[in-house]
Amino acid sequence: MSDRKKLTERERKTKRRQRVMAVVAIILVIMMVSSLALAAVYADSTESVTASSSSSQETVSSESATEAVESSSASESVTSSSGSSGSTSENNAGVYIEDIDVTNMTEEEIQSAVDSKMSDLSDDTIVLYAGDRSVRVTAGSLGLSYSNTDIAEEAYSIGRKGNIYKRFLADYHLSTEGSIILSLKLTASESDVRSTLEQYLSNLNCEPKSNGLVLNDDYTFTLEEGSDGVSVNVDASVEKIMDYISNEWHGGTGGVTLDAEITPYEDTSDELSQVTDLLGTATTTYDTTDEDHATNIELAASHIDGSVVYPGEEFSTDDAIGPTTEANGFRPGASYSGSLVVETFGGGICQVSTTLYDAVLEAELEVTERHNHSHKIGYVEPGFDASITTDTDVIWDFRFVNDTDAPIYIQADAGDGQLTFNIYGKEYRPSNRTVEYVSETSDPEEVTTRFIESNSYSLGYMSVSGGISGISADLYKIVYVDGVEESRDLVSTSTYTMMPLTYTIGISDADSETIAAIDAAIETGEVSAVQQAINSGSTTE
């Protein structure tokens, strides 16, 4: 009986040991399963990590960080993902958002640090590329924000919230494995991206531009590379920018290649290489004391300077100069209007078209449109002028065609009272051949005197303008070969009407007796008599 009791007692002890060992085994299995699960969770979490340099460190996304910490996951330390701060070493254990150590911060302090980080990121530059063109914008102009807006709460909760086991795992991870780094999930506003892109389309979109020429100081030419045409696809480009901000960029200077249609430029370098010779030149002088007049001449000339005209192409002076408006920098200047000299924006640009015309004559290019002035001008002989105007009733232009076999290059140089046009191309004429242009004029029509009474001015005002004789001019082109005249051809016939010497007299406040006296003086045609009537007159005041 005693032996049976001893056996039973031994069996009970054995079973007790077996139960303890089973419990220990179950605990070990649970710990092993937990470790494997933790490793799997951490592996998933690191897929959203953004690395900012060649370092092997990683950043845990805020979405999976809580799971990783709750599972006692050990994240590796990372370098700063913004590129603007230093890296976090493995010895600097703590909780980070990007490169910000928030370990000992309150939740409010963490949120403030996040806001400051976003402000810094908003100032960073994003370069938008389209073909050979690019523009620089800020991340803030693209509506930069972050979608994991609870990241401050997540960071603060690590090691502080959850059950004892979870807090222990977080503390154990920080002490043994290094920092826990949460990543901001950046995004952009589609409407801001679109409006910013559309704002810069004029800087990105362009037509293809063929090669150009640059005239050097020694009168040789350097070939200038052309540029491709660009047409940005806005919808597709907005999508690319959005994707870049969300999935690639994490601070610092970035860049996005936009979706754009590229049109290759036409390579005309072989043709342009033929431009080596001076074909024609002309120079006129202008008054620099009249600043507005001089400005109009110099501005219009600058719009023509550097123009290249290919074989068969027609050149329009009006198109090259563009609208002579105040918005385009032109000023009021003297112009002919009927039988009067008036102030109009762009007054003086006819000297530009005239000087160009004379250079074209010397280059012997084909003139397709040319108009003489209504009255004679003083800076060239009759027949050598070319007027342009954009009046509502009539539009005059000066046009010519490049009828040579090579491109021509137009150089315009205006300054210090001298305007010069040089036309370069490939010399096509024999060296023993020269040309001369001669103007043959008729007897001039004598100037008459005219008086105009104006209510726009008060008594005592008198101005004078005009006084240009009328004349007709035939322009001949004479060709010489070896110094001997070979041909004489009529180029044009120009008729210039007489412009009376016009006196404008103010009478707005003159009494009736004074006006009658002025009328009587005008009938005599004597300027002195009119002036005496003005001086002796009275006003109604």
Side-chain angles (χ1 to χ4, degrees):
M1 193 68 179
S2 62
D3 290 340
R4 183 176 179 80
K5 287 182 179 180
K6 288 180 182 180
L7 179 60
T8 301
E9 183 68 24
R10 191 179 309 114
E11 289 175 348
R12 283 198 295 269
K13 287 181 179 180
T14 299
K15 289 181 179 180
R16 196 181 300 121
R17 278 198 305 271
Q18 289 174 343
R19 284 196 296 271
V20 171
M21 291 178 66
V23 169
V24 170
I26 291 171
I27 291 173
L28 290 174
V29 169
I30 292 173
M31 290 179 66
M32 183 178 297
V33 170
S34 297
S35 296
L36 292 173
L38 178 59
V41 170
Y42 181 65
D44 291 339
S45 70
T46 56
E47 292 180 1
S48 60
V49 171
T50 302
S52 65
S53 70
S54 59
S55 168
S56 62
Q57 300 165 330
E58 300 174 351
T59 302
V60 182
S61 71
S62 60
E63 189 174 279
S64 60
T66 303
E67 297 177 11
V69 171
E70 288 177 351
S71 304
S72 188
S73 169
S75 67
E76 298 179 9
S77 59
V78 300
T79 59
S80 166
S81 61
S82 69
S84 58
S85 303
S87 62
T88 304
S89 70
E90 292 184 357
N91 295 324
N92 293 334
V95 179
Y96 285 76
I97 296 179
E98 303 289 340
D99 57 348
I100 309 167
D101 186 352
V102 299
T103 307
N104 298 314
M105 292 185 183
T106 64
E107 187 172 339
E108 291 74 17
E109 289 172 336
I110 295 174
Q111 185 60 58
S112 177
V114 170
D115 293 341
S116 178
K117 178 68 176 179
M118 289 300 299
S119 177
D120 291 341
L121 290 174
S122 294
D123 291 334
D124 285 343
T125 298
I126 306 294
V127 184
L128 307 180
Y129 298 96
D132 293 333
R133 297 193 165 204
S134 65
V135 294
R136 301 170 70 86
V137 302
T138 63
S141 69
L142 304 176
L144 181 69
S145 62
Y146 61 103
S147 59
N148 51 336
T149 54
D150 59 348
I151 191 170
E153 180 183 355
E154 284 191 30
Y156 181 74
S157 69
I158 295 174
R160 294 186 176 95
K161 295 183 179 181
N163 56 40
I164 295 175
Y165 178 66
K166 292 178 180 179
R167 295 198 300 272
F168 168 78
L169 291 179
D171 291 338
Y172 180 79
H173 166 76
L174 291 170
S175 64
T176 60
E177 302 297 336
S179 301
I180 296 174
I181 303 180
L182 309 183
S183 175
L184 291 166
K185 299 180 68 175
L186 300 178
T187 185
S189 163
E190 182 175 351
S191 61
D192 288 345
V193 170
R194 183 177 296 275
S195 63
T196 299
L197 178 59
E198 290 176 344
Q199 177 185 347
Y200 288 98
L201 283 180
S202 60
N203 301 93
L204 297 170
N205 289 338
C206 63
E207 296 295 325
K209 180 182 177 182
S210 298
N211 309 86
L213 288 174
V214 176
L215 181 62
N216 303 314
D217 293 338
D218 61 356
Y219 302 105
T220 61
F221 286 93
T222 299
L223 186 66
E224 192 177 54
E225 283 298 318
S227 57
D228 295 336
V230 177
S231 180
V232 174
N233 183 327
V234 175
D235 291 340
S237 294
V238 167
E239 187 176 336
K240 290 192 71 172
I241 295 171
M242 295 284 293
D243 180 72
Y244 175 75
I245 294 296
S246 296
N247 300 313
E248 295 183 49
W249 184 75
H250 222 73
T253 300
V256 181
T257 299
L258 303 177
D259 187 287
E261 180 180 348
I262 307 300
T263 305
Y265 71 90
E266 182 181 0
D267 186 356
T268 58
S269 55
D270 289 342
E271 290 181 86
L272 293 176
S273 64
Q274 300 178 71
V275 179
T276 55
D277 305 311
L278 179 63
L279 304 181
T281 183
T283 299
T284 58
T285 60
Y286 58 92
D287 183 8
T288 57
T289 61
D290 185 344
E291 293 185 4
D292 291 340
H293 184 82
T295 295
N296 291 338
I297 289 175
E298 292 165 7
L299 182 58
S302 70
H303 289 184
I304 299 174
D305 183 44
S307 297
V308 175
V309 186
Y310 287 88
E313 287 185 349
E314 184 179 48
F315 179 84
S316 164
T317 305
D318 183 62
D319 288 347
I321 294 175
T324 55
T325 60
E326 183 177 14
N328 287 343
F330 288 93
R331 301 180 183 181
S335 301
Y336 289 151
S337 178
S339 60
L340 295 175
V341 177
V342 297
E343 294 282 307
T344 60
F345 275 100
I349 64 169
C350 284
Q351 184 163 350
V352 175
S353 56
T354 291
T355 311
L356 177 59
Y357 172 54
D358 293 348
V360 167
L361 287 176
E362 188 172 327
E364 299 184 74
L365 301 175
E366 179 186 353
V367 175
T368 52
E369 182 180 354
R370 173 260 173 186
H371 305 272
N372 62 270
H373 287 75
S374 55
H375 308 284
K376 281 192 310 180
I377 57 176
Y379 47 84
V380 292
E381 295 180 31
F384 285 91
D385 61 315
S387 175
I388 60 174
T389 179
T390 56
D391 291 340
T392 55
D393 295 332
V394 61
I395 297 177
W396 286 356
D397 194 2
F398 168 56
R399 296 172 178 266
F400 66 90
V401 170
N402 176 9
D403 54 349
T404 74
D405 294 331
I408 64 168
Y409 175 92
I410 305 174
Q411 180 204 16
D413 184 19
D416 299 327
Q418 277 202 329
L419 171 63
T420 298
F421 274 99
N422 292 317
I423 297 178
Y424 293 88
K426 179 183 179 182
E427 184 57 77
Y428 60 96
R429 299 162 293 187
S431 59
N432 64 338
R433 179 184 179 280
T434 58
V435 295
E436 178 186 13
Y437 292 89
V438 176
S439 175
E440 296 182 359
T441 59
S442 63
D443 293 333
E445 179 185 358
E446 295 300 325
V447 175
T448 60
T449 302
R450 181 175 62 171
F451 298 92
I452 297 176
E453 295 174 321
S454 174
N455 284 312
S456 299
Y457 306 98
S458 59
L459 182 65
Y461 174 87
M462 186 168 70
S463 66
V464 60
S465 65
I468 303 173
S469 61
I471 202 168
S472 178
D474 291 330
L475 183 65
Y476 288 92
K477 175 182 178 181
I478 306 172
V479 177
Y480 299 92
V481 176
D482 294 325
V484 177
E485 182 176 325
E486 183 181 72
S487 62
R488 177 185 292 256
D489 298 311
L490 179 64
V491 176
S492 65
T493 297
S494 303
T495 300
Y496 306 90
T497 60
M498 184 270 296
M499 177 182 286
L501 186 63
T502 302
Y503 292 88
T504 302
I505 303 161
I507 60 168
S508 63
D509 56 351
D511 60 24
S512 58
E513 292 182 3
T514 299
I515 293 175
I518 292 174
D519 290 343
I522 289 174
E523 288 296 326
T524 68
E526 296 293 333
V527 177
S528 58
V530 174
Q531 186 66 64
Q532 184 178 353
I534 293 173
N535 294 339
S536 302
S538 300
T539 64
T540 57
E541 297 179 356

